[in-house]
Amino acid sequence: MASSSDVTSSADNTPENPESGSAPGTPEVLGGSERRGRVRMRRAAVMAVPATLVAAGMAILTAQGALGVSFKISGMPFTVTATDLDGTGFEQFGALDTMADGSPNTGDTGGQVLVVTSAIKDATLTNLCQSVDLGGINLRITAGDGKDKVIASDLTTDSTDLSGNAEFHGIEIGNDASELDKAGVKGPIGVFSQQADTVHIGDLRQTNYATTAGVFTLPNLHLSFSEKAC
């Protein structure tokens, strides 16, 4: 996670937004606006049930420290924002995420997305918001908007776009990703990377394809469907 100047957006590699049209294999909807609305809501509900179950499963696995850094992504990007992020032990390097075989979200990417992996050993976030577009409605999660902040350990995010106001202490730029040692994560050999002792990012905004953590503590968690994205 770094300022926009540190990261090059990979818009050309981003799968087609689900909101822009029907997924492959979805029958064309004919009829009036009322029927289209009902069909869209049914489609969103079908997509949302697995998303909710996955979120619950990830909460259990991350609490046990059992979730690995790498897994097959859905190919659906999600937005993450926070008023402030503070972290100790920061690393960042390029990587390639792969979608599940046969995913309808491949678009023209060939099922792979070029991402920037950011790893933080210990992080705190204020006013965390996460939303994913389910085709006309958003699954929206908020936490840490009270006196208690969101706390994460061994946090990694795979992003195609990041922005914010960043400050690094003890930064090293140009490391080989296989030699990183600040957050306990190593990237591919021969890949450009950077790392720092501490990082602060204000007004953080990310477009992510994957997030993992050893432990993720979410005070005042609220999950809902909303027309409003983060």
mmCIF file with all atom_site columns, all heavy atoms in Angstrom, residues 17 86 119 146 181 217:
data_model
loop_
_atom_site.group_PDB
_atom_site.id
_atom_site.type_symbol
_atom_site.label_atom_id
_atom_site.label_alt_id
_atom_site.label_comp_id
_atom_site.label_asym_id
_atom_site.label_entity_id
_atom_site.label_seq_id
_atom_site.pdbx_PDB_ins_code
_atom_site.Cartn_x
_atom_site.Cartn_y
_atom_site.Cartn_z
_atom_site.occupancy
_atom_site.B_iso_or_equiv
_atom_site.pdbx_formal_charge
_atom_site.auth_seq_id
_atom_site.auth_comp_id
_atom_site.auth_asym_id
_atom_site.auth_atom_id
_atom_site.pdbx_PDB_model_num
ATOM 1  N N   . ASN A 1 17  ? -16.085 -5.011 -15.558 1.00 0.00 ? 17  ASN A N   1
ATOM 2  C CA  . ASN A 1 17  ? -16.910 -4.723 -14.390 1.00 0.00 ? 17  ASN A CA  1
ATOM 3  C C   . ASN A 1 17  ? -18.232 -5.458 -14.521 1.00 0.00 ? 17  ASN A C   1
ATOM 4  O O   . ASN A 1 17  ? -18.907 -5.347 -15.545 1.00 0.00 ? 17  ASN A O   1
ATOM 5  C CB  . ASN A 1 17  ? -17.141 -3.214 -14.304 1.00 0.00 ? 17  ASN A CB  1
ATOM 6  C CG  . ASN A 1 17  ? -17.787 -2.816 -13.004 1.00 0.00 ? 17  ASN A CG  1
ATOM 7  O OD1 . ASN A 1 17  ? -18.642 -3.546 -12.477 1.00 0.00 ? 17  ASN A OD1 1
ATOM 8  N ND2 . ASN A 1 17  ? -17.398 -1.670 -12.484 1.00 0.00 ? 17  ASN A ND2 1
ATOM 9  N N   . ASP A 1 86  ? -1.848  2.878  9.620   1.00 0.00 ? 86  ASP A N   1
ATOM 10 C CA  . ASP A 1 86  ? -0.515  2.910  10.216  1.00 0.00 ? 86  ASP A CA  1
ATOM 11 C C   . ASP A 1 86  ? 0.000   1.485  10.309  1.00 0.00 ? 86  ASP A C   1
ATOM 12 O O   . ASP A 1 86  ? -0.717  0.593  10.776  1.00 0.00 ? 86  ASP A O   1
ATOM 13 C CB  . ASP A 1 86  ? -0.552  3.550  11.603  1.00 0.00 ? 86  ASP A CB  1
ATOM 14 C CG  . ASP A 1 86  ? -0.806  5.043  11.540  1.00 0.00 ? 86  ASP A CG  1
ATOM 15 O OD1 . ASP A 1 86  ? 0.152   5.782  11.228  1.00 0.00 ? 86  ASP A OD1 1
ATOM 16 O OD2 . ASP A 1 86  ? -1.952  5.467  11.783  1.00 0.00 ? 86  ASP A OD2 1
ATOM 17 N N   . ALA A 1 119 ? 2.486   -5.864 1.797   1.00 0.00 ? 119 ALA A N   1
ATOM 18 C CA  . ALA A 1 119 ? 2.460   -6.663 3.018   1.00 0.00 ? 119 ALA A CA  1
ATOM 19 C C   . ALA A 1 119 ? 2.829   -5.792 4.206   1.00 0.00 ? 119 ALA A C   1
ATOM 20 O O   . ALA A 1 119 ? 3.789   -5.013 4.131   1.00 0.00 ? 119 ALA A O   1
ATOM 21 C CB  . ALA A 1 119 ? 3.422   -7.844 2.904   1.00 0.00 ? 119 ALA A CB  1
ATOM 22 N N   . GLY A 1 146 ? -15.501 3.838  15.267  1.00 0.00 ? 146 GLY A N   1
ATOM 23 C CA  . GLY A 1 146 ? -15.677 4.360  16.621  1.00 0.00 ? 146 GLY A CA  1
ATOM 24 C C   . GLY A 1 146 ? -14.334 4.587  17.285  1.00 0.00 ? 146 GLY A C   1
ATOM 25 O O   . GLY A 1 146 ? -13.334 4.887  16.625  1.00 0.00 ? 146 GLY A O   1
ATOM 26 N N   . ASP A 1 181 ? 12.601  -8.524 4.078   1.00 0.00 ? 181 ASP A N   1
ATOM 27 C CA  . ASP A 1 181 ? 12.630  -9.088 5.428   1.00 0.00 ? 181 ASP A CA  1
ATOM 28 C C   . ASP A 1 181 ? 11.885  -8.251 6.467   1.00 0.00 ? 181 ASP A C   1
ATOM 29 O O   . ASP A 1 181 ? 11.993  -8.504 7.660   1.00 0.00 ? 181 ASP A O   1
ATOM 30 C CB  . ASP A 1 181 ? 14.078  -9.285 5.888   1.00 0.00 ? 181 ASP A CB  1
ATOM 31 C CG  . ASP A 1 181 ? 14.889  -7.985 5.896   1.00 0.00 ? 181 ASP A CG  1
ATOM 32 O OD1 . ASP A 1 181 ? 14.302  -6.902 5.711   1.00 0.00 ? 181 ASP A OD1 1
ATOM 33 O OD2 . ASP A 1 181 ? 16.120  -8.064 6.084   1.00 0.00 ? 181 ASP A OD2 1
ATOM 34 N N   . THR A 1 217 ? -9.103  -7.984 13.229  1.00 0.00 ? 217 THR A N   1
ATOM 35 C CA  . THR A 1 217 ? -10.046 -7.596 14.267  1.00 0.00 ? 217 THR A CA  1
ATOM 36 C C   . THR A 1 217 ? -10.864 -6.408 13.763  1.00 0.00 ? 217 THR A C   1
ATOM 37 O O   . THR A 1 217 ? -10.302 -5.357 13.448  1.00 0.00 ? 217 THR A O   1
ATOM 38 C CB  . THR A 1 217 ? -9.316  -7.212 15.564  1.00 0.00 ? 217 THR A CB  1
ATOM 39 O OG1 . THR A 1 217 ? -8.505  -8.316 15.981  1.00 0.00 ? 217 THR A OG1 1
ATOM 40 C CG2 . THR A 1 217 ? -10.308 -6.869 16.668  1.00 0.00 ? 217 THR A CG2 1
#
